[in-house]
């Protein structure tokens, strides 16, 4: 049975519980991170910690633990659960208190939960075949830069996409693509330029995005950080998405329109290989 970390304790998953009054449960008053594990090691742990601390501070929340302590918990869970490939999930909520819209001003201890999941991230069929996405309006709150557990819209949208035979959604705000349900979105336009929306409150500042943009710049691939429209995406040479779990995932159709020749394109394939190689080499 899997071991889960809850508030200082390592427990069998069936004994790992939090209060029904937890504000994460009642108000989605919690933030999270998903860190990939390759070869039993953590990919970009420090990037995830930096983003977690930023999410917490934007919401006036505290994490009563140092990065070194959180790293030690990650490593212990990876070890006891024998994770060679998969993820570590970290969630911090404001804590539990009587239900009230106001943040309680004193005496709250944040709830800290970490667990692991085994997952084939590298040899994943969609990485080879490519994803079919459909576009939907972006109806999330407008602080998508904060990684909160408020994921219902994205979860509903992805489920509807599956019910319609697609794999995922790309969300659209004022005619421009923001991002996928749980990934950042890119196209390669007819000039061969990689285009991805610039960082703002409208998208999550992906850790994988940061690494992939760096790889592309190092390889002197043309890249523009700007919004792109759905029409531009449908007529692109290539499309792809990035996330800790999807790595670089080619997108081969958008709203039923085939992108390029319908197969994963050379830019996405190359970036996937290079990202995989560098993140494996740098994992800790
Ligand atoms: N999601 N955009 C959104 C809305 C996301 O939820 C995610 C990550 C990303 C990519 O971020 P990163 O490269 O740091 O994983 C972009 C994680 C994987 C999840 O919710 O499972």
């Amino acid at each position: 049975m899997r071991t889960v970390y809850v508030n200082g304790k390592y427990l069998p998953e069936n004994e790992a519980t939090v209060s029904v009054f937890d504000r994460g449960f009642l108000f989605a008053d919690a933030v999270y991170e998903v860190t990939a594990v390759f070869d039993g090691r953590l990919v970009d742990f420090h990037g995830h910690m930096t983003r977690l601390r930023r999410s917490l501070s934007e919401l006036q929340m505290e994490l009563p633990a140092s990065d070194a302590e959180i790293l030690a918990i990650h490593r212990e869970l990876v070890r006891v659960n024998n994770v060679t490939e998969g993820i570590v999930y970290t969630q911090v909520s404001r804590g539990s208190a009587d239900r009230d819209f106001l943040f309680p001003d004193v005496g709250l201890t944040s709830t800290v939960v970490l667990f692991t999941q085994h997952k084939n991230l590298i040899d994943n069929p969609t990485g080879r075949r490519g994803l079919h996405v459909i576009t939907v309006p972006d109806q999330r709150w407008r602080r998508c830069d904060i990684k909160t557990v408020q994921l219902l819209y994205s979860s509903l949208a992805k489920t509807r996409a599956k019910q319609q035979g697609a794999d995922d959604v790309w969300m659209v705000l004022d005619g421009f693509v923001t991002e996928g349900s749980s990934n950042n979105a890119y196209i390669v336009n007819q000039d061969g330029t990689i285009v991805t929306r610039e960082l703002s409150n409208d998208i999550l500042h992906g850790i994988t995005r940061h690494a992939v943009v760096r790889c592309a710049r190092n390889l002197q691939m043309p890249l523009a950080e700007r919004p792109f429209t759905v029409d531009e995406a449908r007529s692109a040479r290539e499309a792809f998405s990035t996330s800790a779990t999807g790595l670089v995932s080619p997108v081969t159709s958008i709203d039923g329109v085939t992108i390029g020749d319908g197969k994963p394109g050379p830019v996405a394939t190359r970036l996937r290989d290079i990202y995989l190689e560098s993140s494996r080499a740098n994992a800790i």
Side-chain angles (χ1 to χ4, degrees), residues 157-179:
K158 183 165 183 172
T159 302
R160 285 198 182 135
K162 278 274 177 201
Q163 288 163 348
Q164 291 171 37
D167 300 296
D168 200 359
V169 292
W170 274 12
M171 293 183 272
V172 180
L173 189 65
D174 301 329
F176 294 94
V177 173
T178 51
E179 58 185 337

Side-chain angles (χ1 to χ4, degrees), residues 32-34 48 51 89 140 144 147 151 154 171 179-184 203-210 242-246:
Y32 76 106
E33 283 297 327
V34 174
H48 287 284
R51 187 172 62 190
Y89 177 89
R140 300 172 300 166
C144 300
K147 199 162 173 57
L151 295 169
S154 305
M171 293 183 272
E179 58 185 337
S181 63
S182 57
N183 44 68
N184 291 116
I203 62 169
L204 186 76
H205 302 189
I207 304 299
T208 319
R209 179 190 183 283
H210 184 79
T242 65
S243 71
T245 48

Side-chain angles (χ1 to χ4, degrees), residues 196-203 205 209 224-228:
T196 192
R197 197 180 176 103
E198 74 282 7
L199 298 179
S200 72
N201 291 355
D202 292 330
I203 62 169
H205 302 189
R209 179 190 183 283
E225 293 182 68
R226 63 157 175 86
F228 58 86

